[in-house]
Amino acid sequence: MTSGNTVANELAGKRRGWLRPWLLLLLAAYLGMAIYQAFKPLPDGISVASPLLPVSDVAFLADVTYLDAAGNRQSEQAIFDEMLRLIGQAKRLVVLDMFLFNDFAGEANGDYRPLSSQLARALIDRKAQMPGLEAVVITDPLNTMYGGLTLEHFTALRAAGVKLITTDLTQLRASNPAWSGVWYWCCQWLGNTTEGGWLDNPLGPGQVTLRSYLTMVNFKANHRKTLVVDVDDGWAGMVTSANPHDASSSHGNVALRFQGPAVAELLESERAVAHLSGGDIDFDPLQLRGSVVPEGPRMQVLTEGNIRDALVIAVQSAEPGDRIDIATFYLAHRDLIDALKEAQARDVEIRVVLDPNKDAFGFEKSGIPNRPVAAELHEAGIPVRWCATNGEQCHAKVLLKRSLSGDAVLYLGSANFTRRNLDDLNLETSVRLVASKNTPAIADAARWFERYWHNPEDQRLSVPYATYADESRWRYWQYRLMEATGLSTF
């Protein structure tokens, strides 16, 4: 009996000895891939900051949804009305880069504006009217569940001669390296298909393959929202937080429309995304750089990590008596939060309006990250209010800084104030507008923020901090872990 046990133990020991180096090899391969994907070089033209350039015809646009004094829901929309107008007069060039471009609604029900079909129809009609128009749409593969679905309006755009470029997200760094360390070895080679789907599409109708889900967990995105188009007297650009996504049509959003040399910089940043995805924009940005713009407001185009740097510098350079107003869908980035607390301590006047993170297309959200962050800001003495959302989201991403000197700087665009959006992970575009606080676009942005802060004429746009206050230490450290690791959707 003893001899039998000895033999069995020897065999088990040999098996363990044989398995151990293979397990170590697999672990090394996993860790090596995860680290490489988290820190690999960025593609050319990504994470840029343009020069600060003269700009003209700058307009601040906003979509606002609120309850009026009688409790009725009101929605004011300007952003896509202006976008449709600009596309409808284009003769030479339209370049549109949009994250969500679909009619998926998740579990939500509502009377949504059909933004996706309206925008697709505008592009198709204009291409038919102007056959020589270079019309390009760049979008994120989430719209097709990473190749698992066929979208009718995408098929129609291609048939009309519009270039449709789906962003190659594999070129980007991993925002969730814990999963990407596995996915790049096991699953990216599998591709995907629109045939044979057997799992429900989590975003809307249809069924998709398991491969769609496996790709989605990488949490990568081309999150940009931009437009470049020719106009009668030159070139116009638009940078926004709004998506042509039907179920997002009631979201609160903002945009800046502008003309001048900064439009060429915006186009060049989009050419970089087209190139990394195997596409091209058949138009030379140099043709846009000859615009003559009078002295006055100036603008800088910022992408990816350069957005973070500009935001943090803006807060760190604020002096006592300066005012900083923030309104954003997500606020989680530690560098920015620390800068805000330090600025508050040196008597910078700061106000923050946040989405309560409770609604996502019929699904209930946990309140992370904004509620734990709001508790931290509140403890530091920074006034916080919540958007009074009713199913929609407070989706803007705005920082407005006004100095005692009368100078002002406005930051807005696609980038939420989170690690995923600001640390060279997602593709993002924002702009920095430097001007006098009396410049119409700056003044309009200031009035927009004041409207949210003060609820004029009994319009219910925001509620006090106490309404959604959550000072749980457990949830605070949960947010910190999710932000640091990428194991989250924010």
Side-chain angles (χ1 to χ4, degrees):
M1 192 72 177
T2 302
S3 175
N5 287 339
T6 301
V7 171
N9 289 337
E10 288 178 355
L11 290 173
K14 288 180 180 179
R15 282 195 296 268
R16 286 195 297 270
W18 178 82
L19 282 173
R20 187 176 294 112
W22 286 104
L23 291 174
L24 290 173
L25 181 62
L26 287 172
L27 179 61
Y30 164 71
L31 291 176
M33 181 61 78
I35 293 169
Y36 172 73
Q37 292 299 332
F39 297 102
K40 66 185 179 182
L42 292 171
D44 292 341
I46 302 304
S47 194
V48 299
S50 79
L52 192 59
L53 298 167
V55 69
S56 65
D57 192 32
V58 187
F60 175 84
L61 306 169
D63 293 346
V64 180
T65 297
Y66 61 91
L67 297 182
D68 63 20
N72 298 315
R73 196 181 199 210
Q74 304 293 335
S75 186
E76 303 169 4
Q77 299 190 358
I79 295 171
F80 281 100
D81 289 347
E82 178 64 3
M83 195 173 289
L84 294 171
R85 183 191 72 80
L86 288 170
I87 291 170
Q89 56 80 62
K91 298 180 178 65
R92 301 173 64 188
L93 178 70
V94 174
V95 177
L96 183 76
D97 189 346
M98 288 285 152
F99 171 50
L100 295 180
F101 191 173
N102 63 66
D103 61 357
F104 301 159
E107 296 296 318
N109 294 302
D111 184 18
Y112 302 121
R113 180 178 176 181
L115 289 175
S116 58
S117 61
Q118 288 180 355
L119 190 58
R121 176 47 54 189
L123 289 162
I124 291 167
D125 289 349
R126 195 56 182 169
K127 180 65 175 174
Q129 295 161 3
M130 296 285 173
L133 177 72
E134 173 75 350
V136 181
V137 172
I138 304 171
T139 192
D140 189 87
L142 177 64
N143 290 287
T144 63
M145 279 302 293
Y146 308 98
L149 294 171
T150 298
L151 299 188
E152 290 183 4
H153 63 289
F154 282 7
T155 300
L157 285 168
R158 289 192 181 98
V162 176
K163 290 182 183 177
L164 187 64
I165 299 174
T166 301
T167 309
D168 181 3
L169 300 180
T170 64
Q171 302 294 313
L172 306 183
R173 290 175 179 168
S175 62
N176 181 16
W179 170 244
S180 294
V182 175
W183 185 83
Y184 276 90
W185 285 119
C186 78
C187 310
Q188 78 158 316
W189 316 107
L190 297 176
N192 207 348
T193 177
T194 59
E195 304 296 328
W198 55 280
L199 296 171
D200 288 340
N201 173 11
L203 305 180
Q207 291 187 312
V208 298
T209 66
L210 177 61
R211 285 167 282 179
S212 292
Y213 279 78
L214 295 176
T215 307
M216 181 170 61
V217 184
N218 286 299
F219 299 140
K220 293 186 178 186
N222 174 3
H223 197 243
R224 294 184 179 187
K225 303 157 182 67
T226 67
L227 173 69
V228 174
V229 61
D230 67 287
V231 293
D232 287 341
D233 53 348
W235 305 91
M238 182 183 291
V239 172
T240 181
S241 63
N243 290 296
H245 173 231
D246 296 13
S248 298
S249 60
S250 295
H251 287 6
N253 279 299
V254 295
L256 277 179
R257 186 208 65 220
F258 53 92
Q259 292 185 238
V263 180
E265 301 295 334
L266 183 60
L267 177 59
E268 186 63 28
S269 72
E270 292 303 332
R271 283 168 61 90
V273 180
H275 289 163
L276 75 86
S277 305
D280 194 15
I281 299 170
D282 189 18
F283 200 89
D284 186 355
L286 290 174
Q287 297 184 51
L288 282 68
R289 289 198 170 101
S291 306
V292 177
V293 179
E295 290 297 321
R298 293 169 296 156
M299 178 175 286
Q300 183 179 33
V301 176
L302 302 163
T303 70
E304 290 77 57
N306 282 279
I307 305 170
R308 172 203 59 221
D309 295 344
L311 290 170
V312 172
I313 290 170
V315 176
Q316 290 177 337
S317 63
E319 299 178 352
D322 289 354
R323 166 161 283 176
I324 294 175
D325 293 327
I326 290 176
T328 186
F329 180 53
Y330 286 137
L331 174 56
H333 199 284
R334 296 312 306 171
D335 290 351
L336 184 56
I337 292 166
D338 290 342
L340 287 169
K341 293 193 296 183
E342 291 167 4
Q344 172 72 16
R346 63 177 183 269
D347 296 325
V348 177
E349 298 180 21
I350 301 173
R351 298 180 295 179
V352 177
V353 174
L354 296 174
D355 184 272
N357 294 164
K358 67 183 181 67
D359 297 305
F361 311 112
F363 299 100
E364 183 178 351
K365 299 181 68 176
S366 67
I368 292 176
N370 283 359
R371 297 190 201 185
V373 169
E376 185 177 359
L377 298 179
H378 179 75
E379 184 178 1
I382 297 175
V384 176
R385 291 183 68 85
W386 304 101
C387 290
T389 57
N390 294 277
E392 78 283 356
Q393 295 174 345
C394 197
H395 198 249
K397 306 94 169 52
V398 172
L399 186 150
L400 174 61
K401 176 184 174 183
R402 288 169 287 174
S403 302
L404 290 175
S405 65
D407 295 332
V409 58
L410 173 64
Y411 302 80
L412 67 75
S414 70
N416 293 302
F417 300 164
T418 73
R419 167 185 169 272
R420 178 165 287 127
N421 297 105
L422 298 179
D423 281 4
D424 288 328
L425 300 171
N426 278 359
L427 294 177
E428 304 284 354
T429 303
S430 294
V431 288
R432 171 178 172 241
L433 176 65
V434 179
S436 161
K437 66 181 180 182
N438 296 319
T439 301
I442 297 288
D444 288 345
R447 281 190 289 270
W448 169 84
F449 186 90
E450 295 296 335
R451 187 178 175 192
Y452 270 90
W453 195 261
H454 293 294
N455 293 325
E457 301 175 359
D458 292 325
Q459 297 174 356
R460 191 170 182 266
L461 287 104
S462 70
V463 295
Y465 165 76
T467 305
Y468 296 110
D470 184 349
E471 298 173 359
S472 163
R473 297 307 295 172
W474 158 250
R475 286 167 64 76
Y476 173 79
W477 287 110
Q478 183 183 358
Y479 135 66
R480 291 293 300 268
L481 178 66
M482 295 168 73
E483 172 79 353
T485 62
L487 294 170
S488 70
T489 56
F490 61 82

